[in-house]
Amino acid sequence: MSVTDERGGSESVGAGPGFTAGEVTVHRLPAELSKVTRTLRRTGRKVVLVPTMGALHEGHLELIRAARRVPNSVTVVSIFVNPLQFGPGEDFDSYPRTFEEDLRACEREGAELVFAPTRRDLYGDEPRTTIDAGEPGRELEGASRPGHFSGVLTVVAKLFNIVGPDLALFGEKDYQQLVLLRRMVRELDFPTEVQGIPIVREHDGLALSSRNRYLDERERAAALTLSAALAAGTHAGSRGADAVLAAAREVLDSEPMVELDYLWLCDPELGPAPEEGEARLLVAAKVGGTRLLDNALVELGPASRVEPAR
Ligand code: PAF
């Protein structure tokens, strides 16, 4: 593992410096990382970016594995706890920071490059130019966390400009984030494909999240209500949207420790739910002091049509 830095050259924290397959090289400075990925692209390699805020768990590792499966590619994992996407009173200061463990995980999974800028490296003085996700960024998560999606879109736009990825992978757990990022790429003409990777769950259904480590034993048990509610909702899909919401709501109401923020059924682009076909059921709730998100695909309407007998 090696850490390179334009200020101090290359500081080796393991094997020698430089780019070697099977070994991760950490860049802290945007200009340096840009230079490396530019060179790699010129040699015909595809650059695949996995943006993270660190505290890597199995869900992130699945993203890295998916990146590694892209033929003739190089995997860049960014690790940056982005202050812009945390509101006042949120958990920016206490957000888990496990940099050394994260680097070992990246190395184990075969990611070649890690981009880990400091706040100053990335933003310099406080940024004044930000990206506004528009009305869809002020709904659902955006309603409870004003400015959150502007922070997310701004940092991801910067990462795209610095890394120049052909492909960027994001977990479907943050479903609204994924939809808004796809929209940003489309509407602002980024030459990057954004791909969502299915949610990774614990054996009992809990969606993996870096914030799960805030949960004590009782809260963790209560948190299972979210995935159970989604399962109940999904199961009711053939009976239509109202039945889906009622089934999910009943499960959520059964657990007093769950403080529901929203339960929302929509089409895959966050528009109104269709009468029939593919929809998304989204839930956000606080359990103890921890805000958790989950979502699931729901098939609305008759699961299979019976052709009339002739
Ligand atoms: O999903 C996350 O971890 C963050 O929102 C992201 C996309 C890395 C931006 O900071």
Side-chain angles (χ1 to χ4, degrees), residues 51-53 80 82 85 152 155-156 170 174 177 181:
T52 81
M53 297 205 298
F80 179 68
N82 174 33
Q85 67 189 77
V152 171
V155 80
V156 172
F170 297 86
D174 296 302
Q177 166 176 288
L181 285 169

Side-chain angles (χ1 to χ4, degrees), residues 50-54 60 63 78-83 85-86 95 123 145 148-149 151-156 159 169-171 173-174 177 181 210-211:
V50 178
T52 81
M53 297 205 298
H60 296 112
L63 300 181
S78 65
I79 299 178
F80 179 68
V81 185
N82 174 33
Q85 67 189 77
F86 290 80
Y95 196 83
Y123 287 125
R145 305 183 66 191
H148 171 68
F149 286 119
V152 171
L153 265 51
T154 301
V155 80
V156 172
L159 291 171
L169 303 177
F170 297 86
K173 188 182 71 65
D174 296 302
Q177 166 176 288
L181 285 169
S210 301
R211 290 190 169 97

Side-chain angles (χ1 to χ4, degrees), residues 13 46 51-52 57 71 84 90 99 117 121 132-133 139 149 154 161 171 184 196-197 199 207 223 239 241 244 288 302:
V13 291
K46 275 202 171 5
T52 81
H57 51 65
L84 244 54
E90 291 187 7
F99 190 60
D121 292 333
D132 180 6
E139 291 161 0
F149 286 119
T154 301
N161 285 332
M184 175 185 84
I197 301 292
I199 297 175
R239 291 186 281 122
V244 168

Side-chain angles (χ1 to χ4, degrees), residues 92-113:
F92 174 71
D93 289 329
S94 57
Y95 196 83
R97 287 163 172 84
T98 57
F99 190 60
E100 288 301 321
E101 278 170 47
D102 293 346
L103 286 190
R104 278 194 291 275
C106 288
E107 192 159 41
R108 257 195 326 273
E109 296 301 332
E112 289 94 342
L113 293 167

Side-chain angles (χ1 to χ4, degrees), residues 4-307:
T4 71
D5 180 329
E6 270 175 2
R7 292 159 296 206
S10 176
E11 175 200 338
S12 176
V13 291
F19 182 83
T20 320
E23 185 182 289
V24 70
T25 301
V26 184
H27 291 279
R28 295 202 173 273
L29 295 183
E32 184 172 318
L33 198 265
S34 293
K35 204 159 79 186
V36 173
T37 52
R38 222 175 14 248
T39 306
L40 286 163
R41 261 194 318 278
R42 276 202 205 109
T43 64
R45 303 276 292 276
K46 275 202 171 5
V47 176
V48 186
L49 175 65
V50 178
T52 81
M53 297 205 298
L56 302 185
H57 51 65
E58 200 51 35
H60 296 112
L61 303 189
E62 272 302 310
L63 300 181
I64 298 175
R65 287 170 200 144
R68 297 269 297 136
R69 284 195 291 273
V70 176
N72 192 27
S73 69
V74 59
T75 301
V76 184
V77 179
S78 65
I79 299 178
F80 179 68
V81 185
N82 174 33
L84 244 54
Q85 67 189 77
F86 290 80
E90 291 187 7
D91 57 343
F92 174 71
D93 289 329
S94 57
Y95 196 83
R97 287 163 172 84
T98 57
F99 190 60
E100 288 301 321
E101 278 170 47
D102 293 346
L103 286 190
R104 278 194 291 275
C106 288
E107 192 159 41
R108 257 195 326 273
E109 296 301 332
E112 289 94 342
L113 293 167
V114 165
F115 178 45
T118 64
R119 179 177 184 154
R120 200 161 177 80
D121 292 333
L122 199 63
Y123 287 125
D125 298 328
E126 286 309 295
R128 294 180 206 183
T129 308
T130 54
I131 295 187
D132 180 6
E135 210 36 57
R138 287 183 270 283
E139 291 161 0
L140 302 171
E141 276 306 283
S144 300
R145 305 183 66 191
H148 171 68
F149 286 119
S150 172
V152 171
L153 265 51
T154 301
V155 80
V156 172
K158 283 174 74 69
L159 291 171
F160 283 6
N161 285 332
I162 293 163
V163 178
D166 298 283
L167 173 68
L169 303 177
F170 297 86
E172 283 185 352
K173 188 182 71 65
D174 296 302
Y175 191 80
Q176 187 180 8
Q177 166 176 288
L178 179 63
V179 171
L180 295 181
L181 285 169
R182 279 208 180 107
R183 193 168 296 167
M184 175 185 84
V185 159
R186 221 170 35 238
E187 294 180 354
L188 299 185
D189 307 301
F190 280 93
T192 299
E193 183 192 341
V194 166
Q195 197 178 311
I197 301 292
I199 297 175
V200 179
R201 298 180 180 280
E202 302 268 16
H203 63 97
D204 52 9
L206 184 67
L208 292 191
S209 160
S210 301
R211 290 190 169 97
N212 287 353
R213 61 186 82 196
Y214 298 152
L215 301 169
D216 67 23
E217 207 176 318
R218 275 187 58 221
E219 290 165 349
R220 195 196 172 288
L224 289 176
T225 313
L226 271 68
S227 51
L230 294 178
T234 308
H235 199 69
S238 61
R239 291 186 281 122
D242 289 347
V244 168
L245 289 167
R249 184 74 207 219
E250 193 182 338
V251 177
L252 290 165
D253 287 346
S254 71
E255 174 50 72
M257 282 178 78
V258 170
E259 209 183 302
L260 182 64
D261 182 357
Y262 57 80
L263 175 69
W264 192 250
L265 187 67
C266 53
D267 76 8
E269 290 298 308
L270 303 176
E275 301 252 308
E276 271 188 34
E278 200 176 300
R280 273 277 157 178
L281 183 58
L282 310 173
V283 64
K286 270 196 174 163
V287 179
T290 306
R291 186 177 174 80
L292 298 173
L293 305 183
D294 203 346
N295 70 83
L297 173 73
V298 179
E299 281 296 333
L300 290 175
S304 56
R305 292 182 170 283
V306 181
E307 290 299 322

